[in-house]
Amino acid sequence: MILTITMNPSVDISYSLNPFKIDDVNRVESVSKTAGGKGLNVARVISQMNEEVKATGIMGGTVGSYISKTLKAENIKQDFLMIKKESRNCIAILHEENQTEILESGPTLEKSEGDLFLKKLSDLLNHVSIVTISGSLPKGLSPKYYQKLISLCEKKKVPVLLDTSGRTLKETISNSSKPLLIKPNETELGDLINKKISNSTDVLKKALSHEIFNEIEYVIVSLGADGAFAKYKESFYRITIPKIKVMNPVGSGDATMAGLAIGLKQKKSIEETLKLGMTTGMLNTMEKKTGFIDKRNFDNYYSKVHVEKVN
Ligand code: ATP
């Protein structure tokens, strides 16, 4: 099965307010609450694609219990390190076509809690064939913590797909144990190599030829409505997608990770894996809820994704 790691999960609360009144009382009728955090979006989409998945990470307190209950109700297997500290709430206020977000940073973890999770992961790795790591690290853990997770996975011969950003991403891929795949978006790619990235094939080829990516087999740059550009071993691919009606693009990167993980787990070709990732990403944008897809639309959109080798 696929194991998804979410180190800093949350309850994502969305309030619809029209208008949103500053320095006044806002009474809200329409509230949605979901188990959030990028890795949980990945787990949900894998599950909606009818693939076996287990969610892990660290969570705690009453918010942690709520996340656990929600995953259970969604029939998603879970095995988290449960701690006493409270997991976080993340609030999105949807108002007049804007989205204002208030994000708690989550609990500050001790090194000992990080070590306990490593021990749990070591056991879980005996039963999984692929791992995804998504999102930011909780406060208190070293930016090198994901390196430790990937080294452990390497020892157990379980490949890792990584989706994080900033310093954590840079530190993690500079280690000798490499993830099998990373999925930066345009901004994250630019941050990694300190260059402004455009959608031109030459610019993207040059960027992905940077030595930082040398031993990473799959580097998939997701480009929102423009699809993606990928490097697989020594080859480059441009992936184009159809124009679609977008309801909510939040979490599309996570849904893409879910499709890529399924493709790799099923040992699909590079072309099929890329098409899978693009299709689950697109299906997420077509739903209101973050990290949700309607699998009934899969075949239709899969057939409209084009992968072209560009050497
Ligand atoms: P997020 O941080 O919201 O999870 P991301 O920046 O990591 O997203 P994107 O590049 O925005 O990832 O999107 C991932 C994939 O989802 C795209 O490659 C594409 O397949 C699909 N997608 C995203 N936005 C759109 C859009 N506006 N129209 C069509 N497809 C989209």
Side-chain angles (χ1 to χ4, degrees):
M1 72 167 85
I2 301 169
L3 182 73
T4 66
I5 300 182
T6 317
M7 294 304 290
N8 202 6
S10 55
V11 170
D12 290 349
I13 304 170
S14 156
Y15 294 140
S16 289
L17 285 166
N18 275 313
F20 175 37
K21 294 173 279 181
I22 305 287
D23 198 23
D24 203 346
V25 172
N26 291 273
R27 292 187 196 281
V28 61
E29 275 169 23
S30 167
V31 180
S32 119
K33 280 191 190 182
T34 53
K38 291 172 72 64
L40 295 187
N41 293 336
V42 178
R44 200 176 290 115
V45 173
I46 293 174
S47 166
Q48 285 160 4
M49 288 290 290
N50 300 327
E51 285 292 323
E52 254 207 297
V53 65
K54 182 178 270 182
T56 188
I58 302 184
M59 64 187 181
T62 48
V63 177
S65 305
Y66 183 85
I67 296 171
S68 177
K69 211 172 74 186
T70 310
L71 291 177
K72 213 171 189 176
E74 291 173 335
N75 282 323
I76 296 172
K77 288 188 190 136
Q78 54 182 307
D79 192 348
F80 279 78
L81 176 71
M82 300 304 288
I83 58 172
K84 290 221 170 79
K85 294 168 192 161
E86 277 293 335
S87 289
R88 58 191 179 139
N89 288 306
C90 291
I91 298 171
I93 302 167
L94 312 174
H95 55 104
E96 296 110 11
E97 296 187 13
N98 296 309
Q99 180 161 333
T100 301
E101 298 193 12
I102 299 162
L103 310 180
E104 294 179 18
S105 57
T108 302
L109 300 188
E110 304 293 328
K111 184 179 172 298
S112 58
E113 290 165 319
D115 290 346
L116 273 177
F117 178 71
L118 276 166
K119 206 165 162 297
K120 173 178 272 302
L121 179 62
S122 178
D123 294 339
L124 287 169
L125 288 174
N126 297 326
H127 310 286
V128 302
S129 49
I130 210 157
V131 163
T132 68
I133 301 178
S134 307
S136 58
L137 279 167
K139 279 184 300 175
L141 295 185
S142 137
K144 291 193 192 315
Y145 187 76
Y146 281 158
Q147 285 188 5
K148 290 191 191 173
L149 299 188
I150 295 175
S151 300
L152 180 60
C153 292
E154 187 177 76
K155 270 196 209 120
K156 298 259 185 176
K157 297 193 168 40
V158 179
V160 176
L161 281 56
L162 174 71
D163 184 14
T164 186
S165 57
R167 183 171 166 210
T168 310
L169 177 58
K170 208 169 203 164
E171 295 250 2
T172 309
I173 63 173
S174 306
N175 190 29
S176 56
S177 299
K178 305 281 180 189
L180 175 71
L181 177 150
I182 58 172
K183 191 221 67 64
N185 60 24
E186 214 170 314
T187 315
E188 288 157 355
L189 174 63
D191 290 347
L192 267 180
I193 59 168
N194 291 323
K195 290 234 159 71
K196 205 171 154 24
I197 303 297
S198 74
N199 191 359
S200 111
T201 297
D202 283 347
V203 169
L204 287 162
K205 266 174 84 170
K206 200 162 167 226
L208 294 190
S209 302
H210 191 285
E211 61 178 11
I212 202 168
F213 303 118
N214 276 358
E215 288 156 73
I216 304 174
E217 219 168 293
Y218 298 80
V219 184
I220 320 285
V221 185
S222 63
L223 301 165
D226 290 331
F229 192 87
K231 175 173 168 277
Y232 169 60
K233 296 184 177 168
E234 304 309 318
S235 303
F236 296 95
Y237 298 83
R238 164 77 68 180
I239 307 101
T240 43
I241 58 176
K243 267 220 155 354
I244 53 174
K245 189 165 182 286
V246 174
M247 296 291 285
N248 172 14
V250 180
S252 316
D254 307 331
T256 295
M257 283 292 284
L260 295 170
I262 292 169
L264 290 171
K265 185 188 158 240
Q266 295 180 346
K267 306 217 179 313
K268 300 268 190 203
S269 69
I270 174 71
E271 287 85 1
E272 289 167 320
T273 301
L274 291 169
K275 284 179 76 166
L276 248 157
M278 287 300 97
T279 309
T280 46
M282 280 190 290
L283 294 185
N284 176 76
T285 69
M286 296 163 72
E287 302 296 318
K288 261 195 180 154
K289 271 183 163 175
T290 299
F292 273 85
I293 62 164
D294 185 343
K295 189 170 182 269
R296 289 171 301 180
N297 296 326
F298 183 88
D299 291 345
N300 180 23
Y301 287 95
Y302 182 88
S303 68
K304 292 179 177 150
V305 180
H306 294 289
V307 178
E308 186 198 355
K309 201 166 178 178
V310 284
N311 276 334

